[in-house]
Amino acid sequence: MSTSAISVRESEVLALLGEHLSNAEISSRLFISVRTVESHVSALLRKLDVADRRALARRAAELARAERPRPACALPTPLTAFVGRVRERAELTEAVKTRRQVTAVGPGGVGKTRLALAVAAEAAGDFADGVWFVDLAPVLDPGRVGAAVAAAVGVGEQPGRGIDEAVLAALADRQALLVLDNCEQIRDGVTPFLERLLVACPRLRVLATSRARMMVPFEWVFPVPPLSFADGGDSEAVTLFMERAAAVGRPPDPAVRERIAALCERLDGMALAIELAAARWPTLGLDGLTAGLSDQLRILAGGPRADDRHRSVRAALDWSHDLLEPCDRALLRRISVFAMPFTADAATEVAAFAPLDPAAVADGLGRLAEQSLLTATPSVAGTRYQALETIRQYGTERLADAAELTDVRSRHLGRCLAGATALTAAEGTDRPARFDALAEDMRAALAWAAGRPEQRADAYRLALAMGELTFARNLLGEAQQRFEQAAALAGEGEGEGEGEGAGVGAGAGDGAAALREAAAVAGCRRLGDDMLRLHRAAAEAARRAGDTIGAGRDLAAAATVAYRFSSEFTRVPTADEVTAELAEARRLSEGGDPAAEAALALAEAAVLADAFGAVQGAADNTAHETVELAERAVELAGRAGDPVAESAALDALSGALTWAGDSFGAAAAARRRIDVLRPVPGTPAATHERMDALAMAAGTALGVGDLPQARRWGRQLADQPLFAEVGHHAMSWLLIADAFAGRAEEVLAGSTEFLDAWRRSGRQRSFSLGPAAASVAMIHGLRGDHEARADWLAVVDRAGTTPEHRHGYGAVFDALVLLHHGDPDAALARLAPEPDEVWKWVSWIWLHWYVALRAEASVLAGHPDARNRIATARRTVTGNPVATAQLDRAEGLLDGDVTAQLAAAAAFDAAGCPYQAARTLSLAGPAHAEDGGVALAGLGLTGG
């Protein structure tokens, strides 16, 4: 039978059979029961007409090969052809296919990178998910190895987890090859990252290049030998020399190949040394090359050369360096500070001081490129130059020998600081690309300056600018790190006087401000523990600076965070410790300014009245008291003129009104947050607040039946840049809004992105993820696909929480499915508790849906109290167009009033709820049932 008869779910099972997974493993991977897996396997055996499971696995492999798209091959393109190394390429290619981690080791200049690129390109077809190349040469911070891999692989930040965890999750199921180049200078960072990567990603293979082995489990070391010169004129070394010499001028006469072989032997077959020598062929010829290199090699001939192969590279570099004019020597050593490709203008700014004239820089770069000491790459933005890592290291040594290291590094720091300052004020679509071009140089400059007291002021300013820029680039983990680094640099400057460079312009007060920024970034990352730690640290920094009112404001913020975002903590702060913190904040804020008073009022609403419904919140506060405290917080925040603080206070008010049963007031407060934040620039604090405001506005709009507005805000939330890597969070409210409206196609399309992102995230739990998964389950239920519904309910169990699902959104979605399929008794049983019995779970956005569905189920089940339940529900939902129409329909069904039912159908249409409009026609009797069935089919749903 054709595979076209295989369902989507069967295709997924078949693919996992091809990976030789057991039924239990397939069940866990797809979130379906083992029994369901067994049934799919049986169906596949029948449809594919094969005898057993082993045959199915073979068929899966055949289909995978036939349908596999060309894998991604993200490898840099070398400017010159690869030469020789037939044996090494074959051996190393086989190794990366069969071994978890291979390390190509050898001295600088032996050709490790070119060999790794050739092997990766050759092996790419054997890796279904492609090949990625990561150059670690510019990375100086061992903690940024994961970030470098993420940038190469295309993995972004995910709220609630670090970038390393995001990489591990993204690569967990990938069959891919990862090439890590130049590992030696940050081996302390590469080693732990590799160990975690290899454990978490069983199908991933790693090819590393390094001057020393990585010392990690699974490692297989491949020593990269020099190019062979054993075959004389026909050797690989000579072939490389001939090709490179021909590329820069007239090719050597074949008659001199044996003499060239002798020259290559003197260079120990080191690829870089051979290429440097070949670049001089047009001007020096063979005699000049032989004489020059012979002198250098005699000088450096001490010791066994075979044990120190880099000796020949240094000889070639020393020789090439000595042949340069003095101005070109100065240029070579000075441009070694650049970590990334650079322009002639950048080189002029950093390197153009005596003896080097600014006008000579561009010509000098060209001459260095001609001598293979630089590579030149044309682009639409102009030519960019870059030195190999070995040459950069050599240039840095020469820079130190010339006593220019501090001067050139300072110039480089100044350029990076100016570039960072310009970028923070820049706008336009090219800003990300401009940042990317400068980022590694800024990081290198900051790493150098941060450890030098005389550079501390510039280091502080650069760290602060880097915090802003990395946040704008959606590098949240680094943004938090940079703001914390700026705070540390500011704090170090405290009390050191006003001397030049000694912390001028930065002190503990500046540190407190930087820590507040760091706390806001942690909020965007959903890291409650970090938010609390950083607000407390800001309070301490403010206290050291003599700003007791600021310290009180920070402690109040810490107390608010502990309750407002209690679900985002790994260790939830206790009520006692937060209450004590609030008392200290109150003491410090006595006689404070309006901002401190507003922060304190919000903390009191959060902690004393539990406006946010915190995990550790008390249960004995009255709704009236909660609303009063929240309203006071809103008033004081408005008086202080702080839109971010006002939005947070409105969030407290929205929560308080929810507990009071005022769904419309809660929705209005949430809506005000959007308006208050609209003109505010995208700082970390404003961004964190805006994301929360959009989610709450979408949710509360759903709660009062404003489906079109809920969908608009859900769409805005999904489009937030910080949600680019977390489709489950991005899509959650959009899925719920579309599910209530009955837009099956949109829900099913969005559910794929939701599920993939949720799995990559490590299967997080959240107050919005459970309802989103339940809404997808509901759509499958309305379509009559009960197997898929069961699968999604399994996701609900992992993504949500049991009490909320049991008593809140789960009851609502389950009842909708049961009523759709004509089982009002089961629906009524699902909604059996009185609303005030489960108020905590239904009083937020589910209350109106709960009471309206309960009334309708009572009518359809013939409950004796049906009419009274309709009347009671009306008092709750008045003003909600969807719930009101549902009660009108229920009353019309109770009275047998078809006209009332048709009016309800029109009301549903007007409210943006086509599903309920279609279902109303289906319920309105034989004359309208056909139209209802057609309308349901148009939505992708069954007729019940």
Side-chain angles (χ1 to χ4, degrees):
M1 178 177 287
S2 168
T3 56
S4 62
I6 296 175
S7 70
V8 173
R9 180 63 84 196
E10 287 167 348
S11 296
E12 294 175 335
V13 171
L14 182 62
L16 295 178
L17 285 170
E19 297 177 26
H20 306 287
L21 269 61
S22 68
N23 285 356
E25 290 170 326
I26 295 173
S27 167
S28 175
R29 186 79 66 88
L30 297 180
F31 296 96
I32 58 180
S33 68
V34 173
R35 181 171 296 179
T36 301
V37 175
E38 292 169 350
S39 117
H40 285 316
V41 171
S42 297
L44 287 166
L45 290 169
R46 185 183 72 256
K47 291 181 178 181
L48 296 177
D49 193 24
V50 293
D52 54 27
R53 189 186 186 91
R54 184 176 299 176
L56 273 180
R58 286 197 298 269
R59 180 63 63 87
E62 292 168 2
L63 292 173
R65 283 193 295 272
E67 298 173 3
R68 178 183 299 171
R70 184 176 180 84
C73 190
L75 298 173
T77 304
L79 299 178
T80 54
F82 186 77
V83 174
R85 296 200 183 275
V86 175
R87 180 190 62 80
E88 292 95 328
R89 286 174 68 178
E91 188 174 347
L92 200 51
T93 300
E94 183 61 27
V96 298
K97 295 177 185 177
T98 58
R99 300 181 183 275
R100 295 297 315 281
Q101 198 259 314
V102 177
T103 305
V105 299
V110 76
K112 300 184 296 294
T113 298
R114 290 301 303 273
L115 176 60
L117 286 172
V119 167
E122 191 167 322
D126 290 278
F127 294 93
D129 295 310
V131 177
W132 295 289
F133 179 86
V134 186
D135 183 7
L136 294 175
V139 181
L140 302 179
D141 180 357
R144 288 196 51 76
V145 172
V149 173
V153 174
V155 174
E157 297 267 359
Q158 293 188 1
R161 67 193 329 177
I163 192 65
D164 286 12
E165 287 72 23
V167 171
L168 299 185
L171 300 183
D173 297 324
R174 299 293 187 96
Q175 185 190 3
L177 175 63
L178 182 66
V179 182
L180 299 179
D181 193 36
N182 292 306
C183 296
E184 59 275 349
Q185 83 279 9
I186 49 166
R187 194 170 57 159
D188 289 346
V190 175
T191 298
F193 177 80
L194 261 183
E195 189 163 355
R196 293 176 62 200
L197 184 73
L198 293 169
V199 170
C201 309
R203 303 173 68 205
L204 190 72
R205 301 289 183 267
V206 175
L207 171 58
T209 73
S210 177
R211 297 186 184 185
R213 61 176 299 182
M214 295 290 97
M215 304 295 289
V216 294
F218 312 117
E219 183 181 33
W220 185 76
V221 177
F222 181 85
V224 178
L227 287 168
S228 170
F229 45 80
D231 293 333
D234 295 325
S235 66
E236 293 177 340
V238 172
T239 301
L240 176 65
F241 184 98
M242 299 289 283
E243 287 204 10
R244 299 299 188 259
V248 294
R250 183 172 54 84
D253 191 314
V256 299
R257 291 182 73 105
E258 293 299 328
R259 294 178 61 195
I260 292 174
L263 182 67
C264 291
E265 183 176 0
R266 291 187 175 186
L267 294 174
D268 288 323
M270 299 294 281
L272 176 58
I274 292 170
E275 293 195 5
L276 291 173
R280 291 286 184 173
W281 170 265
T283 55
L284 295 180
L286 184 59
D287 291 341
L289 289 173
T290 301
L293 285 171
S294 294
D295 289 343
Q296 286 290 339
L297 289 173
R298 278 198 298 273
I299 292 171
L300 297 168
R305 284 186 356 210
D307 294 337
D308 196 9
R309 293 282 186 179
H310 74 277
R311 193 180 304 278
S312 57
V313 174
R314 177 173 294 279
L317 286 169
D318 283 339
W319 170 75
S320 294
H321 174 268
D322 292 345
L323 287 175
L324 298 174
E325 295 296 325
C327 60
D328 288 349
R329 294 179 195 170
L331 181 59
L332 178 65
R333 65 178 178 260
R334 292 171 186 176
I335 54 89
S336 68
V337 298
F338 286 102
M340 294 290 286
F342 56 89
T343 63
D345 287 342
T348 300
E349 190 172 340
V350 170
F353 59 95
L356 185 57
D357 186 86
V361 170
D363 285 343
L365 292 172
R367 287 191 294 273
L368 293 177
E370 289 170 2
Q371 306 307 322
S372 294
L373 293 165
L374 291 180
T375 59
T377 306
S379 71
V380 292
T383 301
R384 289 187 173 272
Y385 300 88
Q386 186 174 27
L388 293 175
E389 180 63 14
T390 300
I391 295 174
R392 281 189 62 225
Q393 292 172 1
Y394 178 85
T396 301
E397 292 178 8
R398 287 286 182 168
L399 203 57
D401 292 343
E404 292 180 345
L405 185 60
T406 298
D407 194 2
V408 174
R409 283 285 186 194
S410 297
R411 286 170 171 265
H412 181 251
L413 171 64
R415 171 178 168 75
C416 289
L417 183 56
T421 303
L423 277 173
T424 56
E427 296 180 356
T429 56
D430 66 335
R431 185 185 180 191
R434 291 170 58 194
F435 169 79
D436 291 345
L438 189 59
E440 289 298 346
D441 278 294
M442 290 191 291
R443 290 171 182 132
L446 182 54
W448 175 79
R452 289 163 174 75
E454 72 278 6
Q455 301 288 355
R456 186 175 296 136
D458 282 346
Y460 161 77
R461 286 191 283 271
L462 182 54
L464 201 61
M466 283 285 286
E468 294 181 34
L469 292 170
T470 50
F471 180 80
R473 195 67 178 94
N474 209 13
L475 301 172
L476 304 192
E478 184 176 3
Q480 181 179 329
Q481 174 195 350
R482 297 306 175 194
F483 283 126
E484 292 193 53
Q485 184 179 25
L489 289 165
E492 289 170 2
E494 183 185 11
E496 293 191 7
E498 298 297 321
E500 182 179 356
V504 176
D510 298 294
L515 288 165
R516 292 176 196 124
E517 296 288 341
V521 178
C524 294
R525 301 176 70 200
R526 297 177 178 265
L527 300 177
D529 303 83
D530 276 8
M531 290 182 73
L532 185 63
R533 170 181 63 82
L534 290 163
H535 278 302
R536 288 172 172 171
E540 182 57 34
R543 203 192 307 253
R544 289 200 311 271
D547 181 8
T548 56
I549 292 175
R553 186 172 69 247
D554 289 319
L555 284 180
T560 298
V561 162
Y563 270 60
R564 186 183 180 194
F565 301 107
S566 61
S567 64
E568 297 177 5
F569 282 80
T570 55
R571 187 195 73 83
V572 179
T574 66
D576 287 344
E577 69 176 287
V578 178
T579 301
E581 201 155 44
L582 178 58
E584 177 68 3
R586 189 180 292 113
R587 185 186 69 79
L588 291 171
S589 300
E590 288 179 357
D593 60 9
E597 290 179 357
L600 191 60
L602 179 58
E604 289 172 343
V607 178
L608 302 182
D610 194 23
F612 298 107
V615 173
Q616 69 275 51
D620 56 355
N621 292 307
T622 68
H624 178 70
E625 291 171 341
T626 307
V627 171
E628 282 187 347
L629 285 173
E631 286 177 335
R632 179 171 178 270
V634 172
E635 179 189 352
L636 290 173
R639 194 182 302 169
D642 184 344
V644 173
E646 187 175 356
S647 171
L650 284 167
D651 190 28
L653 179 59
S654 182
L657 291 170
T658 292
W659 310 140
D662 184 359
S663 299
F664 293 100
R671 190 164 56 246
R672 276 180 61 190
R673 295 178 67 191
I674 305 294
D675 296 333
V676 165
L677 292 169
R678 187 167 287 114
V680 182
T683 63
T687 300
H688 180 216
E689 199 64 40
R690 184 173 286 112
M691 290 165 62
D692 185 74
L694 284 169
M696 296 303 100
T700 53
L702 282 169
V704 296
D706 191 350
L707 298 185
Q709 185 61 69
R711 193 177 197 283
R712 283 192 288 272
W713 279 326
R715 181 74 265 169
Q716 289 182 39
L717 183 67
D719 290 340
Q720 289 294 302
L722 293 190
F723 276 162
E725 297 294 323
V726 282
H728 51 313
H729 285 295
M731 296 296 298
S732 57
W733 291 111
L734 200 55
L735 286 172
I736 298 169
D738 281 340
F740 273 130
R743 296 186 178 91
E745 289 186 6
E746 287 88 340
V747 172
L748 296 180
S751 69
T752 300
E753 179 181 348
F754 175 94
L755 189 58
D756 287 346
W758 178 69
R759 287 170 174 166
R760 290 196 306 271
S761 76
R763 298 172 172 85
Q764 298 171 323
R765 291 185 187 272
S766 169
F767 75 94
S768 62
L769 296 182
S775 72
V776 179
M778 182 194 76
I779 287 296
H780 283 296
L782 298 182
R783 288 166 54 83
D785 188 346
H786 298 293
E787 181 182 315
R789 178 169 181 255
D791 293 345
W792 274 91
L793 288 176
V795 176
V796 175
D797 289 340
R798 298 284 299 274
T801 59
T802 299
E804 289 173 311
H805 180 246
R806 177 64 190 152
H807 301 301
Y809 64 82
V812 169
F813 289 128
D814 287 351
L816 281 163
V817 174
L818 291 166
L819 289 174
H820 180 83
H821 290 290
D823 194 351
D825 292 321
L828 190 56
R830 190 70 176 87
L831 301 164
E834 294 287 345
D836 59 358
E837 295 177 27
V838 290
W839 69 271
K840 185 174 183 181
W841 313 113
V842 304
S843 65
W844 188 44
I845 71 171
W846 318 113
L847 177 61
H848 289 192
W849 297 94
Y850 188 94
V851 298
L853 281 165
R854 190 166 185 266
E856 180 178 313
S858 298
V859 169
L860 294 172
H863 193 281
D865 199 32
R867 193 173 297 279
N868 183 54
R869 288 183 176 183
I870 292 173
T872 302
R874 283 195 186 280
R875 290 193 291 272
T876 300
V877 308
T878 299
N880 181 325
V882 178
T884 298
Q886 191 165 11
L887 293 175
D888 289 344
R889 180 178 66 196
E891 193 162 25
L893 289 168
L894 185 62
D895 295 336
D897 187 346
V898 175
T899 301
Q901 294 173 51
L902 295 178
F908 280 127
D909 264 332
C913 192
Y915 162 65
Q916 292 292 359
R919 182 166 177 271
T920 304
L921 295 176
S922 296
L923 292 171
H928 305 284
E930 184 177 349
D931 290 340
V934 171
L936 287 170
L939 292 170
L941 306 173
T942 67

XYZ file of all heavy atoms in Angstrom, residues 125 133 164 172 205 217 255 345 374 437 461 465 609 669 679 684 852 874 919:
139
model
N 27.000 14.782 4.263
C 25.879 13.983 3.774
C 25.453 12.880 4.716
O 24.348 12.341 4.585
N 29.892 24.960 12.078
C 31.280 25.319 12.370
C 31.295 26.467 13.368
O 30.597 27.471 13.183
C 31.989 25.737 11.078
C 33.423 26.147 11.277
C 34.438 25.203 11.268
C 33.757 27.477 11.460
C 35.753 25.573 11.443
C 35.072 27.860 11.644
C 36.079 26.917 11.627
N 23.379 27.880 27.599
C 23.914 26.524 27.481
C 22.796 25.496 27.470
O 22.792 24.553 26.665
C 24.875 26.230 28.636
C 26.206 26.940 28.488
O 26.310 27.828 27.618
O 27.140 26.623 29.244
N 19.422 18.185 21.300
C 19.228 16.898 21.973
C 18.888 15.777 21.003
O 19.369 14.648 21.153
C 18.141 17.028 23.035
N 27.725 14.474 16.939
C 29.147 14.188 16.871
C 29.901 15.517 16.900
O 29.433 16.515 16.356
C 29.508 13.428 15.587
C 28.788 12.089 15.439
C 29.311 11.059 16.436
N 28.686 9.760 16.269
C 27.612 9.355 16.920
N 27.025 10.173 17.783
N 27.116 8.144 16.725
N 35.142 12.679 28.412
C 34.711 11.317 28.064
C 34.376 11.230 26.579
O 33.972 12.223 25.970
C 33.458 11.112 28.926
C 33.586 12.088 30.042
C 34.323 13.269 29.486
N 60.905 21.873 -12.938
C 62.252 21.327 -12.790
C 62.823 21.580 -11.398
O 63.784 20.900 -10.981
C 63.176 21.927 -13.853
N 39.596 51.561 7.921
C 39.339 52.687 8.831
C 39.578 52.270 10.282
O 40.160 53.033 11.072
C 37.906 53.183 8.673
C 37.699 53.944 7.369
O 38.720 54.366 6.768
O 36.535 54.109 6.957
N 47.640 38.305 6.105
C 46.240 38.662 6.327
C 45.409 38.051 5.209
O 45.927 37.816 4.107
C 46.023 40.186 6.299
C 46.585 41.055 7.420
C 46.226 42.518 7.143
C 46.042 40.636 8.762
N 29.222 42.677 14.036
C 30.555 42.912 13.483
C 31.533 43.423 14.538
O 32.747 43.251 14.407
C 30.474 43.913 12.327
N 31.839 51.866 31.593
C 30.962 52.408 30.546
C 30.740 51.392 29.430
O 29.623 51.262 28.903
C 31.564 53.708 29.989
C 31.419 54.896 30.940
C 31.789 56.196 30.237
N 33.229 56.338 30.108
C 34.010 56.918 31.022
N 33.476 57.386 32.143
N 35.307 57.020 30.830
N 27.183 49.725 28.344
C 26.710 49.778 26.952
C 26.497 48.378 26.394
O 25.520 48.117 25.682
C 27.713 50.543 26.084
N -1.590 41.646 51.256
C -2.932 41.334 50.756
C -2.921 40.286 49.660
O -3.975 39.894 49.168
C -3.597 42.610 50.232
N -8.251 47.069 34.070
C -6.937 47.379 34.645
C -5.825 46.801 33.776
O -4.798 47.459 33.546
C -6.854 46.815 36.069
N 4.133 54.360 25.224
C 5.195 55.293 24.817
C 6.555 55.025 25.454
O 7.514 55.736 25.167
C 4.645 56.651 25.290
C 3.815 56.321 26.489
C 3.226 54.957 26.228
N 15.020 47.066 29.601
C 14.709 45.741 30.154
C 13.485 45.746 31.060
O 12.630 44.857 30.960
C 15.982 45.373 30.920
C 17.077 46.070 30.172
C 16.460 47.375 29.740
N -21.531 29.951 32.668
C -22.392 29.856 31.494
C -22.503 28.411 31.015
O -23.601 27.932 30.688
C -21.862 30.752 30.378
N -26.428 35.012 34.894
C -26.592 36.311 34.211
C -26.048 37.447 35.063
O -25.460 38.407 34.541
C -28.070 36.553 33.883
C -28.585 35.768 32.699
C -29.924 36.321 32.216
N -30.510 35.496 31.179
C -30.144 35.538 29.898
N -29.168 36.352 29.519
N -30.738 34.759 28.999
N -22.737 26.000 16.290
C -23.329 24.993 17.169
C -24.767 25.368 17.529
O -25.636 24.502 17.689
C -22.482 24.851 18.439
C -23.029 23.764 19.372
C -22.026 23.384 20.449
N -22.657 22.409 21.332
C -23.372 22.719 22.408
N -23.527 23.991 22.755
N -23.923 21.772 23.153
